[in-house]
């Protein structure tokens, strides 16, 4: 479990019957927290009961709700950190001993699959759209055979989200993040005119500056290409493990969620537009 002992420790005191907010976050009543802070001996986690799995699970959003939050996080994320590894054969400019080292670099992304025509889209299944630059380290490593993952998080929203436990300091560690594993698939080049126009409209909304290096732009300083990350695994950290899920998302659920509802056989009728991330207004 990727949770600090102290988070679990706090949860041990607060775990029972906490109200779930609409966005899936748990808000312990302030009275409980005060009582907890004033109890003698509370500085030593080992002297406090740790909640059983059943008690803790009672306070967490379901895995499907977590998948909804993860798909919303993708939909609202304009960028994410792509991790790749340096290949064995490096350019003369690179230090000799970096082969095999991993490097995480923030890249522009957008959840634009649904803007593609049906013969080119993956039916809005959560495969992020990426505008790759051939000169970029991320894309050179991938071209040389590197695996990749894409990490998204909600940490910029700390001030709106407020503290998980009222009275405690703000904690970015309590906010959601998801890491998507998979492979990069190039979209056909050039894209049919209508498809290119639709994709550009969607992608340039969060990234108006990227107009300069769109694929085929004659004035672009760098050659670029459209691609998608075909997601094969999704690892979710909802926040502190006592009040959020941590682990592998069900890929069928990840792929089946739509803005409103989901594909047949998945979920409970809700889509990612029916949920809010910490600090968002309903
Ligand atoms: C990429 O990951 C696969 C496992 O999914 C592994 O077999 C392969 O060796 C990895 N490739 C590199 C270049 O590390
Ligand atoms: C994943 O979700 C689908 C759809 O709800 C379900 O049929 C399947 O059993 C789930 N898989 C696992 C491993 O839980």
């Amino acid at each position: 479990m990727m949770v600090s002992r102290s988070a679990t420790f706090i949860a041990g005191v607060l775990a029972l019957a906490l109200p779930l907010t609409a966005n899936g976050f748990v808000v312990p009543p302030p009275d409980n927290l005060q009582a907890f802070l004033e109890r003698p001996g509370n500085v030593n986690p080992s002297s406090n009961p740790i909640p059983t799995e059943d008690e803790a699970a009672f306070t967490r959003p379901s895995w499907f709700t977590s998948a909804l939050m993860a798909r919303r996080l993708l939909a609202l994320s304009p960028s994410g950190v792509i991790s790749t590894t340096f290949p064995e054969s490096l350019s003369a400019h690179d230090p000799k001993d970096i082969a095999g080292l991993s490097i995480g670099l923030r890249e522009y992304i957008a959840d634009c699959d649904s803007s593609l025509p049906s013969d080119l889209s993956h039916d809005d299944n959560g495969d992020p759209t990426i505008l790759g630059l051939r000169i970029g380290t991320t894309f050179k490593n991938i071209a040389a055979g590197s695996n990749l993952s894409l990490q998204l998080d909600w940490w910029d929203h700390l001030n709106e989200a407020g503290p998980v436990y009222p009275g405690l300091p703000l904690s970015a560690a309590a906010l959601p993040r998801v890491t998507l594993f998979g492979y990069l698939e190039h979209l056909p080049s050039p894209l049919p005119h209508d498809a290119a126009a639709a994709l550009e409209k969607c992608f340039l909304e969060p990234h108006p500056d990227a107009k300069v290096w769109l694929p085929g732009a004659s004035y672009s300083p760098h050659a670029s290409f459209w691609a998608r990350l075909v997601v094969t695994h999704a690892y979710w950290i909802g926040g502190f493990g006592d009040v959020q899920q941590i682990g592998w998302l069900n890929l069928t659920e990840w792929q089946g969620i739509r803005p409103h509802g989901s594909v047949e056989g998945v979920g409970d009728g809700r889509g990612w537009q029916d949920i809010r991330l910490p600090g968002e207004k309903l």
Side-chain angles (χ1 to χ4, degrees):
M1 205 58 112
M2 304 183 72
V3 202
S4 73
R5 282 292 282 192
S6 58
T8 310
F9 155 58
I10 293 166
V13 182
L14 301 175
L16 295 170
L18 302 176
L20 262 183
T21 62
N23 65 13
F25 250 48
V26 174
V27 183
D31 291 357
N32 282 14
L33 186 84
Q34 210 47 49
F36 151 65
L37 289 171
E38 283 165 11
R39 250 169 61 174
N42 269 358
V43 285
N44 177 7
S46 64
S47 71
N48 282 274
I50 303 294
T52 66
E53 273 303 302
D54 281 353
E55 281 168 351
F58 179 70
T59 68
R60 293 186 194 120
S62 71
W63 270 108
F64 180 69
T65 298
S66 303
L68 289 173
M69 289 195 277
R71 281 296 301 267
R72 186 169 182 87
L73 182 57
L74 169 63
L76 300 185
S77 294
S79 66
V81 174
I82 299 185
S83 295
T84 59
T85 50
F86 284 104
E88 292 298 330
S89 59
L90 300 159
S91 90
H93 305 294
D94 294 319
K96 296 285 163 278
D97 53 0
I98 59 165
L101 294 189
S102 64
I103 179 168
L105 293 167
R106 186 171 286 271
E107 307 287 354
Y108 286 180
I109 65 147
D111 189 16
C112 284
D113 191 76
S114 65
S115 68
L116 287 167
S118 57
D119 59 325
L120 288 175
S121 88
H122 278 183
D123 193 25
D124 194 12
N125 72 341
D127 288 346
T129 303
I130 295 171
L131 180 52
L133 287 176
R134 293 191 196 280
I135 199 175
T137 298
T138 295
F139 302 101
K140 282 203 290 195
N141 285 351
I142 294 167
S146 170
N147 285 312
L148 71 147
S149 64
L150 166 66
Q151 193 258 355
L152 311 173
D153 65 58
W154 193 245
W155 285 24
D156 288 347
H157 299 264
L158 183 57
N159 286 329
E160 304 97 87
V164 177
Y165 307 112
L168 289 190
L170 293 176
S171 183
L175 296 182
R177 50 265 199 206
V178 69
T179 302
L180 306 175
F181 298 80
Y183 55 92
L184 203 67
E185 185 177 88
H186 287 232
L187 297 178
S189 175
L191 279 173
H193 181 77
D194 287 1
L199 197 58
E200 287 168 14
K201 182 169 186 290
C202 175
F203 198 90
L204 294 181
E205 197 171 305
H207 305 297
D209 54 324
K211 188 173 175 41
V212 176
W213 60 91
L214 285 176
S218 55
Y219 39 80
S220 171
H222 300 302
S224 65
F225 58 92
W226 288 117
R228 63 162 61 94
L229 172 60
V230 179
V231 176
T232 54
H233 300 285
Y235 189 76
W236 170 253
I237 300 180
F240 292 151
D242 50 348
V243 288
Q244 291 289 336
Q245 300 289 359
I246 295 178
W248 298 97
L249 293 172
N250 178 324
L251 204 70
T252 307
E253 291 184 344
W254 169 269
Q255 293 175 334
I257 290 167
R258 299 290 175 270
H260 304 281
S262 50
V263 301
E264 195 170 342
V266 167
D268 54 17
R270 289 177 300 161
W272 63 255
Q273 290 281 32
D274 300 314
I275 197 154
R276 292 295 177 268
L277 291 164
E280 282 193 288
K281 302 271 177 289
L282 264 178

